Amino acid sequence: MTSSVRDRPIDALRSAARRWWALAFVAFLPYALATAPSSERADAVGDVLSGPVATAALEAVAGAAVLAAVSVTVLYWFATYGIHPGRPTPEERVLNENREE
């Protein structure tokens, strides 16, 4: 996952992180309804998805989406800090700032 987005610019990483978090939220909703129903509508959806195989599949998809979202977010944070291919390292930025002063 991370190797597919690591060479993107910072703006693309930010939008990819947002998309992955949205996907993780959407993937978590059926899992949450299947495992902890609290209303009549949730009970109806939970009954359909309450089998052990369905619950395991929903949990796997939700977990994978959250892990992908976290990894892309960490890459985005690293890129904004300066640890990104093609950008100066944090040490080079500090040295350049000191030279300018």
Side-chain angles (χ1 to χ4, degrees):
M1 173 56 223
T2 56
S3 63
S4 67
V5 297
R6 70 176 176 207
D7 294 328
R8 292 185 183 179
I10 294 174
D11 295 335
L13 282 174
R14 183 176 356 134
S15 64
R18 286 181 183 163
R19 283 191 304 260
W20 276 107
W21 280 112
L23 177 69
F25 179 75
V26 170
F28 181 75
L29 286 178
Y31 173 69
L33 289 174
T35 57
S38 61
S39 68
E40 291 179 13
R41 286 189 213 167
D43 284 338
V45 174
D47 289 340
V48 173
L49 302 173
S50 66
V53 175
T55 303
L58 289 172
E59 184 176 0
V61 169
V66 168
L67 288 175
V70 167
S71 64
V72 173
T73 303
V74 168
L75 283 175
Y76 169 68
W77 287 340
F78 277 10
T80 56
Y81 178 68
I83 305 172
H84 193 270
R87 291 194 61 196
T89 63
E91 294 84 9
E92 292 171 345
R93 290 189 305 172
V94 168
L95 290 174
N96 288 337
E97 288 175 4
N98 288 338
R99 287 182 191 151
E100 292 174 0
E101 293 176 356

